[in-house]
Amino acid sequence: MKRILILLLILFSAPAFSQESLKARMDRIEKDFGVSFVYASSLSPESRTVLSNEYGDDLSGALASSFKGTGIRYKIHRGNVILSVDRSGKAAKSTVCGLVTDAGSGEILIGASVIVTRPGGAPVGAVTNEYGFYTITIEEGEYLLEVSYLGYSPIRRPLTMEKDLNLSFALTPDARISESGITSRRDAGILSTRPGSTVLSASLIESTPAVFGEPDILKTIQLLPGVQNANDGFSGINVRGGGLDENLILLDGSALYNTNHLLGLTSMFSPDMVKKTTVYKSAFPARYGGRTSSVVDVRSKDGNLKETHASLSIGLLADKLSIEGPLKEDKVSFALSGRLMQTGVFSPVMKAFGVPANYWFYDLNAKLTYVISDRDRLYAGIFNGYDNFRFSQAEEEYRHYYDDNYAPYDMYCMKRQKLGLRWGNTLGTLRWNHVYSPRLFSNLTVAANRYSMSLSNGSSVNVDDDGEMSSCETSFSMSSGIMDLRAQMDFDYTPSPAHLIRFGAEAIGHKFRPESSSSVEKTTSAGVSSDERTDMQKGKVHYGIEASLYVEDNMLLAGWLTFCPGIRLSTFITEGRTYVSPEPRLSLKADLREDLFAKASLTRMTQFVHMLTSGNTSLPTDMWVPSTKNIRPTVSDQASVGLYYTGLAGWEFSSEGYWKTMNNVLEYLEVNASLFSSINWEQNVAMGKGRSFGLELMVEKTTGKATGMLAYTISKSDRVFPDGSVNGGRRFPYVYDRRHKLTSTVNYSFNDRIDATATWTFASGAWFTVPTRHVVSVGPDGYLQREFCVTERNNYRLPPVHHLDVGVNFRKQKRVGERIWNIGVYNIYGARNPTLLTSSMNDAQFENPDLPDGAIVITRRSLFMFMPSVTYTRKF
């Protein structure tokens, strides 16, 4: 109530901005000061407006306030005021710029609206970029300025433009205040120029139910139309017919390669550290490149410049701790978030199934912000996240024997087996924001990223044969990885209200190590030892240099038409060959009415890195490889068109159609290609063509106690290899060609203490390749052997997937901070959705006698049926 009274006081105390025509003002001046105006009829003072504030008793002051910013010059001569127009015919212009931040924390606000309105004129505005910076160039004069952001109280104040100004604003949070309806140049969302773009808030990510109650960015993205999940319950995303490796996933502007924990059960992004997530499915801005299907731009929190806050969460899957605060108030802040898996839950479950294994993961995200001045900010960030799996088993065996003289003796045997798998990312970034002038902003980023995977397997056998000792130890190790060194310079230039020009350059040095593997065997018998090492794969290192230049413009061609042209020129140098790829980008938005928009886009994207995978699940053992002199880059072209409506208060309606073609997509020649080897990988893959098209419909309710989203997608995606190398040259469905997908999300706030979220998902089944027959032949040893035969690629569609997930938050304000209990259930009605699928050949004698001998048997396994979760969170 107090905030409402303060807001009303501010609004009513603001000066009135009524208006009058310039001609009426001139008539008043003639009457008050006894002068006459002399001017050409083309000057048309009747069509010009000025503020009606009083101008005082001085003629010079009255003339100055009346003609300021109009482009009209005046001269007093013998009781006459002679008017003329500037030679340019235009009024003088000035620029206002600055930052928009949170008043309580000093955190920059991305996408805040800054609108200036002149009496009788159309509003002119800007939206803060990903670094919280805005700039507006307008004619000199008197304005009303409004700064707004969703969930914050707006700021309204008069603005006098006589020269360039640097004005920063700090907004006060207020969940009851909705965002201003006037927006300009949004980069994503229904009001932006770009179709296929969405902004996800941190609150939406935290409220979406998930397996084990662990909020996840990528699983929230799966609710969007046009996005398919790789497997039920897992975090992988496939966007508009693209592969898992075709998504550019960025953390503060730098790419991560494998973002999954627990083989994809959750992602490496802890929601506690996320400030904003932007998703592009089409109409990609020219500043993004390197992937062909989507861009997921995750921005982390900068840290509180005012106060220290902390949050502790304890859940079934993982525990999280986040802390942020000032190291020097208003100058230096830090943000730190860590997450560690609950091994105490996982290990007993594995042991209950008789598996002597342990699994744990962690991720750590730290960021330091230094406010050097109003013009300069420095950011330093570190991300480190890894998964570790360990399997260890030992068996003892005693056997009783008799020698040739029938004397008894014992043989003792100890068998040990160990398996280890570790994978993860390490990323370090350094960024510098600088304001060169009110119209020119820059960001310099330097980053280093390393993704690595290591697999080890060892076994040993120790035998005591009546006192005679012998042993055999074997071990196998394999590793792969990729390392990037990156530098990027970005500029935002606003020459006029009609143009926002972004341009820059990027250079990345890649080092690929697809695979390095070796085996060691040690034997000891009768006191004689031998040691043999075999390098199975030397691990050829591939190097690549990726460089690009880009420029894009957001142009207001008319009051109803926005035009966003752009181009990115990308190059990739590898193995003595240079690939050059021009990537044009074009987006259009037409305001058919105040509440009805049409959008269209044409984009091209090029991808120079590829992930070798077989099967339906992305594994950490999948290899990242570069384009080579034999393997060309993947190129996609996409056309999108959409219609959007916001005329119903609190509701948004959107429909988008798209057509997408892909060239040089990779597929293994053999269906059962090895998951663990990149030996001669160039000879084991083929390059073909893909296409994808569909229609996406979405309805969102954005205000009120009940909010939510309903999204439907109908689409088709397939592949063809004209050279006949795959599927005999015939077109076949893509593995994630899910024809229909429907998602529904409902959030309801009962009161300040209790809120609930429910999501329901239905999707057509993915495709799977199964053998259709088998061949019996006589092997070299004389025994009969059976072989699977596959006549069609992706010839079996899995059953549809559907599940209802619910979550309830119970909040309570404590003397210090807040306590939250989250209780949720994933797949509340226990649908048996296929998570894993295997095919085998029936042996009628030992397996299923009701089926013919050699029949193909398909086995489906469901992992996530009625998965309850509980999480305790304490905020300080």
Side-chain angles (χ1 to χ4, degrees):
M1 187 64 183
K2 183 179 179 181
R3 289 184 176 179
I4 295 176
L5 291 175
I6 294 174
L7 179 58
L8 291 174
L9 181 61
I10 293 173
L11 293 177
F12 284 109
S13 62
F17 279 83
S18 57
Q19 62 187 38
E20 64 177 343
S21 70
L22 180 58
K23 182 63 171 64
R25 171 69 65 87
M26 292 164 56
D27 291 341
R28 286 206 294 145
I29 292 176
E30 286 182 334
K31 181 179 179 181
D32 291 343
F33 297 100
V35 295
S36 298
F37 286 94
V38 179
Y39 55 90
S41 59
S42 59
L43 189 138
S44 301
E46 298 85 359
S47 62
R48 302 174 184 260
T49 57
V50 294
L51 298 179
S52 62
N53 295 340
E54 294 301 322
Y55 44 72
D57 300 328
D58 178 67
L59 175 61
S60 298
L63 295 174
S65 63
S66 299
F67 296 107
K68 180 170 57 178
T70 64
I72 298 176
R73 293 180 177 181
Y74 61 89
K75 179 180 180 181
I76 303 174
H77 181 69
R78 295 182 179 180
N80 295 321
V81 180
I82 303 173
L83 304 181
S84 62
V85 181
D86 285 343
R87 291 181 180 178
S88 63
K90 299 180 181 179
K93 293 184 178 182
S94 297
T95 300
V96 56
C97 68
L99 298 174
V100 180
T101 60
D102 182 303
S105 66
E107 186 92 14
I108 63 171
L109 298 179
I110 303 172
S113 295
V114 184
I115 307 296
V116 292
T117 306
R118 192 174 192 174
V124 177
V127 174
T128 56
N129 64 11
E130 54 266 40
Y131 309 104
F133 179 79
Y134 79 93
T135 178
I136 304 174
T137 300
I138 50 179
E139 296 180 354
E140 294 182 354
E142 303 289 338
Y143 294 87
L144 174 65
L145 179 143
E146 180 179 358
V147 184
S148 62
Y149 190 72
L150 184 63
Y152 287 76
S153 299
I155 292 177
R156 297 182 180 94
R157 52 164 287 185
L159 175 66
T160 300
M161 292 298 296
E162 297 178 328
K163 60 181 179 179
D164 290 346
L165 297 176
N166 190 324
L167 295 178
S168 294
F169 300 94
L171 300 183
T172 302
D174 190 339
R176 296 166 297 181
I177 304 296
S178 62
E179 191 174 17
S180 170
I182 303 174
T183 56
S184 173
R185 288 204 177 105
R186 293 200 174 277
D187 208 46
I190 193 171
L191 297 177
S192 73
T193 308
R194 305 182 185 281
S197 60
T198 308
V199 177
L200 302 179
S201 64
S203 59
L204 175 62
I205 297 169
E206 291 176 353
S207 64
T208 302
V211 177
F212 292 115
E214 190 67 22
D216 186 10
I217 290 176
L218 298 184
K219 288 182 181 176
T220 305
I221 294 174
Q222 290 175 2
L223 299 176
L224 299 176
V227 181
Q228 311 286 359
N229 61 317
N231 289 82
D232 179 48
F234 290 88
S235 292
I237 58 174
N238 301 86
V239 180
R240 292 185 172 180
L244 291 168
D245 63 328
E246 296 173 9
N247 306 300
L248 179 63
I249 300 179
L250 302 169
L251 177 61
D252 288 333
S254 297
L256 294 175
Y257 285 93
N258 189 319
T259 59
N260 293 329
H261 284 312
L262 271 172
L263 305 178
L265 195 60
T266 186
S267 73
M268 290 186 175
F269 298 109
S270 176
D272 292 345
M273 196 65 179
V274 174
K275 177 166 57 179
K276 182 181 179 183
T277 303
T278 307
V279 181
Y280 299 94
K281 297 178 294 183
S282 64
F284 305 103
R287 59 187 180 276
Y288 297 112
R291 300 294 187 275
T292 54
S293 286
S294 75
V295 175
V296 180
D297 191 351
V298 180
R299 297 287 167 170
S300 64
K301 294 180 179 178
D302 300 327
N304 197 311
L305 285 163
K306 307 288 186 178
E307 301 173 339
T308 299
H309 294 279
S311 173
L312 173 65
S313 295
I314 300 174
L316 291 181
L317 183 64
D319 299 333
K320 295 175 287 186
L321 175 64
S322 300
I323 184 170
E324 60 176 332
L327 295 176
K328 184 178 181 181
E329 189 171 349
D330 295 329
K331 293 293 291 183
V332 183
S333 69
F334 74 94
L336 179 66
S337 177
R339 181 169 52 167
L340 182 65
M341 180 182 173
Q342 283 273 23
T343 55
V345 173
F346 184 83
S347 297
V349 172
M350 297 298 291
K351 291 179 180 179
F353 283 93
V355 180
N358 189 22
Y359 192 109
W360 61 281
F361 69 77
Y362 75 90
D363 50 60
L364 179 67
N365 199 332
K367 193 171 183 179
L368 192 68
T369 301
Y370 176 31
V371 182
I372 303 173
S373 67
D374 292 340
R375 291 178 172 267
D376 297 275
R377 287 199 176 202
L378 193 65
Y379 304 88
I382 295 176
F383 172 82
N384 182 257
Y386 272 86
D387 284 58
N388 293 268
F389 172 76
R390 292 289 182 269
F391 174 91
S392 179
Q393 186 176 32
E395 295 180 346
E396 292 183 314
E397 186 179 47
Y398 290 89
R399 294 183 182 179
H400 300 281
Y401 294 94
Y402 294 91
D403 61 14
D404 294 340
N405 299 320
Y406 297 101
Y409 73 92
D410 293 333
M411 185 180 74
Y412 168 77
C413 180
M414 169 62 81
K415 298 179 180 179
R416 293 186 177 89
Q417 184 177 3
K418 293 183 178 180
L419 175 66
L421 179 61
R422 185 174 188 267
W423 76 91
N425 294 271
T426 300
L427 170 66
T429 60
L430 185 65
R431 294 187 291 120
W432 172 45
N433 293 168
H434 178 64
V435 180
Y436 286 94
S437 71
R439 302 185 186 185
L440 183 62
F441 172 89
S442 73
N443 175 69
L444 173 64
T445 302
V446 178
N449 179 30
R450 179 176 181 266
Y451 169 72
S452 63
M453 183 279 300
S454 61
L455 172 69
S456 62
N457 185 17
S459 62
S460 65
V461 178
N462 296 295
V463 178
D464 182 354
D465 190 357
D466 197 24
E468 183 176 335
M469 306 295 295
S470 62
S471 65
C472 179
E473 297 182 18
T474 60
S475 63
F476 168 81
S477 63
M478 190 266 284
S479 63
S480 70
I482 178 174
M483 185 173 70
D484 290 348
L485 294 177
R486 172 176 170 269
Q488 182 169 345
M489 191 69 182
D490 303 292
F491 294 92
D492 289 9
Y493 178 56
T494 310
S496 70
H499 293 272
L500 170 58
I501 301 174
R502 290 183 167 183
F503 59 97
E506 180 184 26
I508 305 175
H510 299 285
K511 179 181 178 181
F512 300 86
R513 187 166 46 85
E515 180 185 355
S516 179
S517 58
S518 63
S519 64
V520 177
E521 182 176 356
K522 297 180 180 179
T523 58
T524 302
S525 179
V528 180
S529 300
S530 63
D531 188 344
E532 182 179 354
R533 177 184 176 89
T534 304
D535 290 324
M536 302 171 62
Q537 175 79 346
K538 290 291 186 179
K540 178 183 176 181
V541 176
H542 299 267
Y543 293 93
I545 298 176
E546 185 176 350
S548 58
L549 300 170
Y550 76 88
V551 61
E552 59 185 75
D553 191 0
N554 192 317
M555 306 167 60
L556 302 175
L557 295 183
W560 57 275
L561 182 63
T562 308
F563 178 54
C564 293
I567 188 167
R568 184 181 183 92
L569 182 63
S570 300
T571 61
F572 189 74
I573 303 173
T574 180
E575 297 184 350
R577 180 165 183 175
T578 300
Y579 292 100
V580 180
S581 178
E583 303 172 31
R585 317 281 173 86
L586 176 64
S587 300
L588 285 169
K589 177 191 174 189
D591 298 338
L592 306 180
R593 290 188 342 203
E594 185 179 355
D595 54 7
L596 184 64
F597 323 107
K599 303 180 190 178
S601 69
L602 292 170
T603 60
R604 167 169 287 189
M605 297 284 277
T606 305
Q607 181 166 336
F608 301 104
V609 298
H610 316 277
M611 185 173 67
L612 298 181
T613 182
S614 60
N616 292 43
T617 303
S618 175
L619 298 174
T621 49
D622 296 334
M623 312 291 181
W624 286 92
V625 296
S627 296
T628 66
K629 59 184 178 181
N630 300 316
I631 302 298
R632 295 187 295 275
T634 302
V635 179
S636 74
D637 293 293
Q638 184 175 172
S640 300
V641 63
L643 192 64
Y644 313 83
Y645 178 68
T646 60
L648 188 59
W651 292 81
E652 295 179 354
F653 301 84
S654 65
S655 60
E656 290 184 10
Y658 68 91
W659 179 279
K660 180 180 177 182
T661 61
M662 296 156 277
N663 291 306
N664 305 325
V665 294
L666 296 185
E667 284 268 350
Y668 270 115
L669 295 173
E670 301 294 332
V671 174
N672 58 345
S674 172
L675 293 176
F676 305 107
S677 179
S678 64
I679 299 176
N680 300 322
W681 68 270
E682 292 181 77
Q683 285 73 46
N684 294 330
V685 298
M687 290 183 292
K689 297 181 178 181
R691 67 177 182 181
S692 179
F693 50 91
L695 175 66
E696 302 169 0
L697 305 174
M698 186 164 66
V699 179
E700 289 186 87
K701 188 176 185 297
T702 58
T703 60
K705 281 184 170 293
T707 60
M709 174 183 70
L710 178 65
Y712 171 71
T713 304
I714 180 170
S715 61
K716 179 179 176 61
S717 180
D718 55 31
R719 301 286 188 268
V720 65
F721 290 75
D723 61 358
S725 57
V726 176
N727 206 49
R730 299 181 299 277
R731 194 175 290 275
F732 60 93
Y734 182 53
V735 63
Y736 299 115
D737 171 37
R738 301 180 187 267
R739 191 58 45 82
H740 303 279
K741 181 191 173 187
L742 178 66
T743 59
S744 176
T745 301
V746 177
N747 306 286
Y748 190 82
S749 177
F750 295 93
N751 49 50
D752 292 340
R753 298 186 58 183
I754 303 175
D755 59 83
T757 301
T759 65
W760 185 73
T761 300
F762 173 89
S764 302
W767 291 90
F768 196 80
T769 302
V770 299
T772 53
R773 58 188 177 87
H774 70 277
V775 175
V776 180
S777 60
V778 179
D781 52 6
Y783 289 94
L784 294 179
Q785 60 184 21
R786 294 189 174 105
E787 296 180 359
F788 290 108
C789 293
V790 176
T791 56
E792 293 286 337
R793 182 70 61 98
N794 296 337
N795 54 3
Y796 177 79
R797 186 186 280 278
L798 293 168
V801 172
H802 57 92
H803 51 85
L804 173 65
D805 317 315
V806 296
V808 183
N809 291 310
F810 299 92
R811 308 174 187 272
K812 185 176 182 180
Q813 292 294 328
K814 309 294 285 186
R815 186 171 61 87
V816 178
E818 182 184 22
R819 180 268 293 156
I820 304 173
W821 281 100
N822 175 271
I823 299 175
V825 180
Y826 183 87
N827 194 1
I828 194 170
Y829 53 76
R832 299 181 64 87
N833 297 310
T835 306
L836 300 175
L837 187 143
T838 59
S839 59
S840 60
M841 188 165 51
N842 183 55
D843 190 322
Q845 182 178 356
F846 298 102
E847 297 177 3
N848 191 341
D850 297 330
L851 294 177
D853 187 40
I856 305 300
V857 178
I858 300 176
T859 304
R860 300 195 300 263
R861 301 185 185 276
S862 302
L863 297 183
F864 307 116
M865 296 181 296
F866 193 79
M867 302 286 291
S869 65
V870 58
T871 303
Y872 172 80
T873 301
R874 186 72 167 85
K875 296 183 178 181
F876 304 93

